[in-house]
């Protein structure tokens, strides 16, 4: 699953990252992965505690290596639910709900963009994750003299 979000000041932030030497960008990838590694178990736990469908996709929540903390969920992996649905097929119904058509009656009520487990957890943890990442970027900029 890929979700596009709008971030104020993103272009400037990306420019700051691009100014870093390649070695420093690799170090930033490591720091970003460490931050995402801390968040992924929280997301898996939230999924497991949320509903049966969400629990079935918990193992599909994985960290991606990038200059920014990145976590993926869903995909083509089998979930073990009857009917053979993949994690990607279950993700949106488990996260946002359904019950708006007869094919989505197995999910909880639709919540719009609020979400049940994945995005609420990310929103709650965002300030801490952002502070950790910005500190890592500032340290690398200082270390490499790119301020």
């Amino acid at each position: 699953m890929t979700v596009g979000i709008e971030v104020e000041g993103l272009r400037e932030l990306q420019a700051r990252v691009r100014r870093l030497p390649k070695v420093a960008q690799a170090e930033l990838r490591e720091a970003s992965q460490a931050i995402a590694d801390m968040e992924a178990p929280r997301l898996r736990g939230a999924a497991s505690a949320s509903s049966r469908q969400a629990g079935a996709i918990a193992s599909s929540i994985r960290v991606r290596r990038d200059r920014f903390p990145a976590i993926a969920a869903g995909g083509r992996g089998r979930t073990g639910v009857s009917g053979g649905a993949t994690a990607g097929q279950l993700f949106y119904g488990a996260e946002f709900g359904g019950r708006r058509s007869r094919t989505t009656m197995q999910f909880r009520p639709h919540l719009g963009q609020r979400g049940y487990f994945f995005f609420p957890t990310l929103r709650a943890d965002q300030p801490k994750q952002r502070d950790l990442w910005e500190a890592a970027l500032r340290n690398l900029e200082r270390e490499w003299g790119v301020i």
Side-chain angles (χ1 to χ4, degrees):
M1 167 201 74
T2 302
V3 176
I5 59 171
E6 209 170 295
V7 178
E8 202 171 301
L10 180 62
R11 290 185 196 279
E12 295 82 11
L13 193 58
Q14 288 173 325
R16 283 176 61 193
V17 171
R18 280 193 303 271
R19 281 194 292 269
L20 291 172
K22 295 295 181 191
V23 174
Q25 288 185 31
E27 290 178 33
L28 185 59
R29 278 187 175 85
E30 290 175 22
S32 295
Q33 185 168 358
I35 293 167
D37 282 337
M38 289 187 299
E39 186 66 15
R42 287 189 37 76
L43 291 168
R44 287 186 205 107
S48 296
S50 181
S51 70
R52 277 197 349 218
Q53 291 97 347
I57 64 162
S59 64
S60 77
I61 298 172
R62 301 191 190 289
V63 172
R64 298 285 181 240
R65 188 169 168 82
D66 196 355
R67 293 173 298 177
F68 300 89
I71 297 175
R76 296 184 182 170
R78 293 277 179 219
T79 58
V81 299
S82 65
T86 65
Q89 291 169 327
L90 285 180
F91 181 83
Y92 287 102
E95 173 63 4
F96 299 110
R99 296 198 180 168
R100 290 195 167 180
S101 70
R102 60 184 191 88
T103 59
T104 62
M105 295 304 290
Q106 72 272 29
F107 299 111
R108 294 180 284 187
H110 182 66
L111 285 183
Q113 296 179 354
R114 217 170 55 211
Y116 278 102
F117 65 95
F118 194 85
F119 288 102
T121 304
L122 284 177
R123 279 191 292 273
D125 297 346
Q126 180 182 359
K128 178 182 176 189
Q129 305 303 326
R130 183 185 55 233
D131 291 347
L132 289 169
W133 187 84
E134 286 178 352
L137 177 60
R138 278 192 307 274
N139 288 341
L140 285 168
E141 286 174 329
R142 234 180 275 120
E143 180 182 332
W144 289 90
V146 187
I147 295 181

